[in-house]
Amino acid sequence: MAKVLMKGNEAIGEAAIRAGCLNYFAYPITPQSEVAEYLVRRLPEVGGVFLQGESEVAVGYMIFGAAGAGVRVFTTSSSPGISLMSEAISYIAAAQCPAVFVNIMRGGPGLGGILPSQADYLQATKGIGHGDCRLLVMAPASVQEAVEMVMKAFPLAEKYRNPVMILGDGLIGQMMEPVEFPDQLKTEPSNKDAWATNGMDHRKSKTRNLVKSLFLDPVQLNDNNLALKAKYDRMRAEEVMSESYNTDGDYKGLIVSYGTMSRVCRTAIDMLKTEGIDVGMIRPQTVFPFPEKAVAEAAMKPSCMHVLSIEMSMGQMIEDVERSVKGRIPVSWYGKCGGDIPTPEEVIDVVRERIA
Amino acid sequence: MGKTFKKPEALSDAHTHYCPGCTHGVIHRLVAETIDELGIRGRTVGIAPVGCAVLAYNYFNCDFQEAAHGRAPAMATGIKRVRPDLMVFTYQGDGDLASIGMGEIIHAANRGEKFTTIFVNNAIYGMTGGQMAPTTMPDQRTSTSPFGRKVEEVGMPIKMAELLAALQTPAYISRQTVIKPKYITKAKKAIKQAFTYQLENKCFSLVEVVSTCPTNWGMTPVQAVEWTEKTLLAYYQPGDYKVPA
Amino acid sequence: MQSEIMFAGFGGQGILLIGKVLAHAAMEEGFEVAWVPSYGPEMRGGTAYCTVVISDRPIGSPIIKNPLHLVAMNGPSLEKFAPTVKKGGIIFINSSLIAFGANRDDVDELRVPVVEIAKDLGSVKAANIVALSAFVARSGIVSMETLKQCIKEEFSKKPKLIPLNMEAVAAGERAARK
């Protein structure tokens, strides 16, 4: 297929359809309302379901209901909206249903602002809802990558029967870039007859299915949490994705950065290289599971003296970076999160000050 | 001679945890009989609330999902929209539906979602141990209104059937009770009517069932029936509040 | 080689659209492109701007503080962004609305009365296309042929508007040559 120029939000909507997801529930919030505006026209063309819910709270449970019934379903929102959905996300994870949530992050806390931010990192990777639940979280750095990640998200959600989140900053949603869509996915949610409330008549077993998260018996609840933990451990073993940049030769410092911020860092690294200063970069593509090994290995290069966690937040991912580096060399943070994305020049200044 | 009275297939063999004198068991049975009679058990999905009926999924023998507090109408919307061929019902109490879930029920009803809600109103929070509900009667004592519900502080009890019937979207809204056999026959008819409207893909349907909670009301089952008849039914009057054209 | 073009003006002048058309044309010519809108609070205040990045290699930072070129459709935009333009770039000025200049001697200043030109063609709405065409003709950033194709595609759902916009392209091109 030829490349098309598309806004990130619209491309995300189209990617879901190409992933075989024809069910979308959402509530408007800047900077991602274009997903709904795109899908309200596009889904009827393919026989899909579109509904604007009355709140993000309700949408979370519309997703839960539909996911429990065994169909591919997704929603998109932005930071405050995701907070409201986080209750449902906890229930969906506990009940082990597959669903995809896209968070096009804006500045917080509170109402914050509407410009790009990465300040929901800890929420997405560690604190998405109450209880011991985790999401598999992928963080795209371009519109093309957002499309690819959305298309991967559905099979992954089904593989683990767990919610998957696409964590993009506002720019990923608002920017237009050329996109080439991968081939339409032909798969379906596999093995759904074993757990989904898709109606007994549809199943060979003719026994009823139950989608629930209540375990009043402490042994049963512990067992359910152990089953969830086993899945999260498996994600850590099988799903880590990261990209390295300028790490082949020696470098004095290492940047860890993701999403739009990592692109700014890449430009800064190119500019520094022309001055004879080498800095490497690890760009996490999954932030849960975090690419601990890739960061640790890159930081352990003998020439590397310092690791910088550069993020559009007040220092959230740095906790994972520090955990990976394990105190062997200094780790420090740089970032902004009011929506004013740091420029390559600002990154260069920080590198000069702390590394070069 | 064959059996003339038996347990509906849509009920499981489990013993319920409901208190003596509680009407949940009767309401479960009426819903289960309806499912059997309409022959829809194999394509029915029930949604359990948070409240005394949270374990309803143990007592019904059909697919079930369990919602968060108040969110059953949103879950039902999700299921029904993506699988219109399934028969979907929510089973909710008054704390669940009329307090924390007010937004969800109003919007589901107003969108005309084609599912059925069984709304069990016993004027109190049962599962958490007898706290005041939006449906608690004036001067009714509960653990969080120990001197009686003060209308000047928390307003009058909410009449859900009337409130939902005021919406302009077509719907079937009925209020019934099951405290005596004469009421049970009517309640059954209303519940079956509600499911039938869904089967015909006609409209949103809701049956409010005025119920008892002797345990948390601090009454014997007989006193509870008397109080319901005298006090609750005077305020929450039975009848059809809205019928689709 | 990378160029960045900032388009800026009032909301309603078709700023975002001409940025998109240029990005599309550059993509058709095989370049990497990114179209970055301003969608912040300033959008609500009635000003609009976007940046188009065109490069022969994958685009790093899409955040551009110093663009190579500026297309300024109103006075406040010119005042605000003229000082940020890189040395050697083009500053296009909508002289129908802007009486002053960029006040820079290290850039190529191009003044075109796009509103009057568009009015003569039959609709002031085509002023943005006149501006885009004049800028493209002066910069040679994409070919006029590709630009025309992309404008036709942009208006494919309103084919009645295509002849007017083709005239706008020709007029813009002429104005840039003067």
Side-chain angles (χ1 to χ4, degrees):
Chain A
M1 211 195 125
K3 277 188 179 175
V4 285
L5 184 67
M6 262 182 123
K7 204 168 199 189
N9 284 333
E10 297 183 345
I12 284 167
E14 184 61 29
I17 290 175
R18 287 170 196 247
C21 174
L22 302 184
N23 304 297
Y24 176 75
F25 299 86
Y27 187 81
I29 183 170
T30 307
Q32 61 75 51
S33 299
E34 293 88 351
V35 186
E37 290 164 354
Y38 179 80
L39 287 175
V40 72
R41 291 165 188 275
R42 184 75 175 92
L43 277 169
E45 293 174 3
V46 290
V49 173
F50 172 96
L51 183 65
Q52 179 173 324
E54 66 268 34
S55 68
E56 284 96 345
V57 172
V59 165
Y61 289 95
M62 290 171 186
I63 298 292
F64 188 11
V71 303
R72 280 194 178 151
V73 64
F74 89 118
T75 189
T76 59
S77 189
S78 182
S79 311
I82 294 290
S83 288
L84 288 175
M85 290 178 187
S86 64
E87 181 198 46
I89 293 175
S90 167
Y91 278 70
I92 296 170
Q96 303 201 46
C97 293
V100 173
F101 291 81
V102 178
N103 180 2
I104 300 297
M105 289 180 281
R106 52 187 264 177
L111 207 45
I114 59 173
L115 290 171
S117 166
Q118 296 178 322
D120 302 343
Y121 180 93
L122 287 175
Q123 181 197 45
T125 59
K126 302 180 203 297
I128 192 59
H130 59 282
D132 270 311
C133 64
R134 298 279 186 145
L135 302 179
L136 201 160
V137 188
M138 292 184 273
S142 66
V143 176
Q144 178 69 40
E145 193 173 43
V147 162
E148 287 163 12
M149 285 178 172
V150 167
M151 291 188 67
K152 272 183 199 160
F154 291 94
L156 279 171
E158 285 147 20
K159 175 179 174 183
Y160 290 99
R161 280 177 55 196
N162 197 75
V164 171
M165 180 172 277
I166 305 297
L167 190 67
D169 53 77
L171 204 71
I172 298 294
Q174 290 297 322
M175 188 166 51
M176 271 197 229
E177 286 189 310
V179 183
E180 208 169 348
F181 285 95
D183 290 340
Q184 174 83 34
L185 289 188
K186 297 275 192 274
T187 55
E188 278 229 312
S190 59
N191 199 26
K192 65 180 175 193
D193 282 355
W195 55 269
T197 62
N198 54 349
M200 269 188 285
D201 285 349
H202 291 271
R203 301 190 293 265
K204 276 193 195 135
S205 70
K206 305 292 175 203
T207 54
R208 65 92 168 251
N209 281 339
L210 201 50
V211 170
K212 65 161 189 139
S213 62
L214 179 70
F215 298 91
L216 290 173
D217 180 285
V219 176
Q220 279 182 16
L221 180 56
N222 192 50
D223 285 348
N224 195 55
N225 281 326
L226 284 171
L228 299 187
K229 182 181 186 302
K231 295 197 302 188
Y232 305 144
D233 287 342
R234 188 174 166 206
M235 288 177 194
R236 288 184 178 100
E238 296 179 16
E239 311 303 343
V240 180
M241 291 191 297
S242 70
E243 194 184 72
S244 52
Y245 190 69
N246 201 39
T247 51
D248 290 343
D250 280 348
Y251 44 86
K252 285 180 94 170
L254 178 74
I255 289 173
V256 183
S257 189
Y258 70 102
T260 294
M261 194 62 241
S262 69
R263 292 172 62 154
V264 176
C265 292
R266 200 170 78 200
T267 298
I269 289 168
D270 290 348
M271 289 162 77
L272 282 161
K273 208 175 175 69
T274 62
E275 296 175 23
I277 300 168
D278 266 301
V279 175
M281 178 166 72
I282 299 292
R283 174 173 76 90
Q285 291 165 296
T286 53
V287 285
F288 182 87
F290 188 76
E292 290 167 36
K293 214 174 133 197
V295 169
E297 281 173 9
M300 281 305 96
K301 188 159 255 195
S303 61
C304 183
M305 309 303 286
H306 195 103
V307 181
L308 269 168
S309 181
I310 301 185
E311 35 184 321
M312 294 189 280
S313 76
M314 287 295 124
Q316 300 194 10
M317 183 178 66
I318 188 172
E319 294 183 10
D320 280 332
V321 176
E322 283 172 335
R323 224 160 39 80
S324 308
V325 175
K326 294 185 166 64
R328 287 178 288 211
I329 57 172
V331 175
S332 67
W333 160 85
Y334 175 72
K336 276 186 182 175
C337 66
D340 187 13
I341 302 172
T343 59
E345 291 75 14
E346 289 172 77
V347 171
I348 288 169
D349 286 345
V350 174
V351 168
R352 281 216 189 94
E353 183 194 307
R354 302 191 201 165
I355 297 173
Chain B
M1 206 178 122
K3 266 190 188 171
T4 54
F5 186 81
K6 58 181 184 184
K7 178 181 73 64
E9 262 194 69
L11 282 185
S12 73
D13 291 329
H15 285 281
T16 74
H17 69 288
Y18 300 120
C19 305
C22 167
T23 44
H24 267 309
V26 178
I27 303 165
H28 280 23
R29 182 177 173 101
L30 298 186
V31 172
E33 281 178 5
T34 299
I35 292 171
D36 279 14
E37 287 163 20
L38 297 176
I40 54 172
R41 191 171 73 93
R43 58 186 176 111
T44 294
V45 184
I47 302 179
V50 171
C52 281
V54 68
L55 295 174
Y57 56 74
N58 282 337
Y59 311 137
F60 284 100
N61 186 15
C62 62
D63 279 357
F64 240 86
Q65 294 200 20
E66 173 220 72
H69 202 20
R71 314 295 173 227
M75 282 183 85
T77 299
I79 300 169
K80 195 70 189 183
R81 288 273 174 154
V82 302
R83 287 289 309 275
D85 56 317
L86 295 176
M87 290 288 289
V88 181
F89 75 95
T90 71
Y91 189 106
Q92 304 175 254
D94 44 315
D96 192 85
L97 181 139
S99 189
I100 194 167
M102 181 62 102
E104 282 75 13
I105 192 65
I106 295 265
H107 284 281
N110 193 56
R111 285 191 302 262
E113 297 294 344
K114 310 287 190 294
F115 65 82
T116 301
T117 292
I118 305 299
F119 166 43
V120 180
N121 175 7
N122 59 9
I124 204 159
Y125 280 76
M127 184 179 229
T128 44
Q131 293 82 13
M132 184 178 66
T135 45
T136 294
M137 293 302 288
D139 300 324
Q140 185 185 336
R141 289 171 185 234
T142 70
S143 68
T144 52
S145 59
F147 311 109
R149 176 185 183 125
K150 286 202 175 73
V151 170
E152 61 276 21
E153 282 178 13
V154 296
M156 288 291 285
I158 298 178
K159 295 182 175 185
M160 282 309 299
E162 287 86 336
L163 197 146
L164 291 167
L167 298 172
Q168 300 302 299
T169 310
Y172 175 62
I173 310 287
S174 181
R175 181 185 288 125
Q176 303 293 335
T177 185
V178 291
I179 50 167
K180 287 183 177 171
K182 62 173 179 180
Y183 297 119
I184 293 177
T185 319
K186 282 186 184 164
K188 168 68 185 296
K189 216 177 130 197
I191 289 171
K192 194 163 174 182
Q193 185 62 64
F195 274 83
T196 304
Y197 281 133
Q198 181 181 171
L199 201 55
E200 293 167 350
N201 201 32
K202 203 152 187 178
C203 59
F204 172 75
S205 54
L206 175 141
V207 180
E208 173 174 344
V209 186
V210 179
S211 304
T212 55
C213 186
T215 303
N216 288 304
W217 291 353
M219 297 180 193
T220 66
V222 173
Q223 287 170 332
V225 166
E226 284 166 2
W227 189 73
T228 302
E229 202 161 30
K230 205 178 97 211
T231 311
L232 288 185
L233 292 188
Y235 188 77
Y236 298 118
Q237 290 176 3
D240 283 351
Y241 281 83
K242 189 169 198 165
V243 177
Chain C
M1 178 60 200
Q2 179 171 298
S3 326
E4 309 92 9
I5 308 92
M6 172 171 268
F7 294 88
F10 293 124
Q13 283 184 311
I15 300 291
L16 302 185
L17 182 126
I18 54 176
K20 183 186 158 196
V21 170
L22 179 63
H24 183 194
M27 179 185 86
E28 292 298 334
E29 294 200 344
F31 291 104
E32 298 284 346
V33 301
W35 173 93
V36 184
S38 65
Y39 69 93
E42 67 276 12
M43 216 174 102
R44 271 77 178 167
T47 67
Y49 62 90
C50 66
T51 310
V52 175
V53 186
I54 300 173
S55 179
D56 54 9
R57 43 171 302 197
I59 294 164
S61 173
I63 301 303
I64 306 297
K65 291 276 158 81
N66 298 104
L68 181 58
H69 309 298
L70 169 67
V71 175
M73 294 292 276
N74 68 1
S77 305
L78 181 65
E79 269 180 278
K80 186 171 175 192
F81 298 118
T84 68
V85 174
K86 281 178 191 155
K87 203 172 129 185
I90 296 167
I91 295 186
F92 173 95
I93 296 171
N94 171 11
S95 58
S96 303
L97 292 184
I98 311 171
F100 53 93
N103 202 18
R104 297 257 315 245
D105 52 16
D106 56 351
V107 297
D108 177 10
E109 185 172 312
L110 171 60
R111 301 180 64 86
V112 178
V114 293
V115 179
E116 283 79 9
I117 292 176
K119 240 182 223 164
D120 288 346
L121 297 175
S123 171
V124 282
K125 283 188 178 167
N128 61 339
I129 299 293
V130 175
L132 173 64
S133 309
F135 168 74
V136 168
R138 176 65 67 97
S139 63
I141 205 155
V142 292
S143 78
M144 294 310 288
E145 244 352 275
T146 313
L147 182 70
K148 281 185 208 163
Q149 275 312 315
C150 291
I151 292 171
K152 282 181 191 163
E153 258 187 65
E154 188 61 40
F155 289 98
S156 61
K157 281 179 187 156
K158 297 173 190 162
K160 275 187 189 163
L161 295 177
I162 293 176
L164 167 71
N165 281 297
M166 288 303 105
E167 284 177 41
V169 173
E173 197 177 358
R174 277 195 305 273
R177 291 228 180 85
K178 272 179 202 163

